[in-house]
Amino acid sequence: MADLDELRRLRRARDRMDREFAQPLDVASIARGALMSSAHFSRRFRDVYGETPYRYLMTRRIERAAAMLRTGDVTVTDACMAVAAASLGSFSSSFTQIMGETPSAYRAREHTELEGVPGCQAMVLSRPRMPVAASSRIGEAGAVAAS
């Protein structure tokens, strides 16, 4: 079980990934910001949030790229560069794995189901559904409730 200070540092690290997804972040620098070694940070992040920090960051990047591609105003390469993906190949591979279709196919198809929906709600509705470990958020909630 994580202590409250550790949970705060993990939450700040997660918030940093949400805020700075377009920056060239890596797990080592995020772990340093959380005052943990990379291995301990990755292990504790996965225990609390149910996915690795790298996977969390890539999912946030893909979500933002998908939002850009839905408008049809940007190319796949522009969306890739806007979210600081390492390369177009790894971006396309991750996009396909998370969204279930290639970025080009996603951009080409219509997204009428989200017409008229505010951007913040469209982001939630189009968020990829990932299987979450049973102990992820429950572990965080249990640690907070125990304090």
Side-chain angles (χ1 to χ4, degrees), residues 31-99:
R32 276 192 304 276
L35 307 176
M36 297 180 200
S37 70
S38 293
H40 182 71
F41 175 71
S42 293
R43 191 172 42 253
R44 297 302 301 141
F45 192 93
R46 187 180 57 239
D47 289 346
V48 173
Y49 296 112
E51 60 187 330
T52 65
Y54 178 78
R55 178 74 178 190
Y56 181 85
L57 181 59
M58 278 309 295
T59 302
R60 299 291 83 77
R61 286 177 171 164
I62 297 301
E63 284 175 4
R64 269 55 172 212
M68 287 184 247
L69 293 172
R70 274 196 302 274
T71 66
D73 295 337
V74 298
T75 66
V76 172
T77 303
D78 292 341
C80 171
M81 296 301 147
V83 298
S87 71
L88 186 56
S90 64
F91 170 77
S92 293
S93 175
S94 295
F95 192 98
T96 303
Q97 184 182 25
I98 291 170
M99 300 299 285

Side-chain angles (χ1 to χ4, degrees), residues 136-147:
S136 63
R137 296 192 190 260
I138 294 170
E140 180 183 26
V144 171
S147 62

